Amino acid sequence: MANTKQARKRARQAEQRRQHNASQRSMVRTYIKRVVKAIQSGDHGQAMAELKAAQPVIDRIADKDAISKRKAARIKSRLNKRIKALAA
């Protein structure tokens, strides 16, 4: 348990940040699910539209360090690969 006033404040801030980051990660997962659902339906146009909507969200959350930049790049690459396979 935090003993000093400063440590109590840092604990409070860390908890708020943790909850906010969890919310942001959840939003990214929702966008990813939309892209995957479009891919599974076989609709290339819809999948491209969903990916186009998801990419800036993924990048923005990666910039804020809720997810790592490498993970963001990996997610985008894998989704893009699946969409390209759908078109072929």
Side-chain angles (χ1 to χ4, degrees):
M1 188 64 204
N3 290 320
T4 64
K5 186 176 179 182
Q6 176 189 7
R8 285 192 295 272
K9 180 178 178 180
R10 294 302 301 159
R12 251 191 342 264
Q13 289 177 327
E15 179 60 20
Q16 289 172 343
R17 195 166 46 252
R18 185 190 67 79
Q19 289 178 354
H20 185 259
N21 285 344
S23 170
Q24 298 294 300
R25 281 191 297 271
S26 176
M27 182 177 65
V28 168
R29 282 194 297 268
T30 301
Y31 273 94
I32 292 167
K33 285 177 195 172
R34 288 184 194 169
V35 178
V36 170
K37 188 174 181 182
I39 291 168
Q40 289 173 344
S41 72
D43 186 355
H44 182 263
Q46 178 68 23
M48 283 299 293
E50 293 292 352
L51 180 63
K52 194 170 186 178
Q55 279 182 330
V57 174
I58 294 169
D59 287 334
R60 191 165 58 245
I61 301 309
D63 284 341
K64 294 177 182 177
D65 283 335
I67 62 172
S68 74
K69 289 183 186 287
R70 287 183 179 146
K71 182 171 184 174
R74 200 165 50 242
I75 290 168
K76 291 186 300 181
S77 174
R78 288 175 181 170
L79 290 174
N80 202 25
K81 185 171 126 180
R82 289 175 69 175
I83 291 173
K84 283 185 179 180
L86 186 66

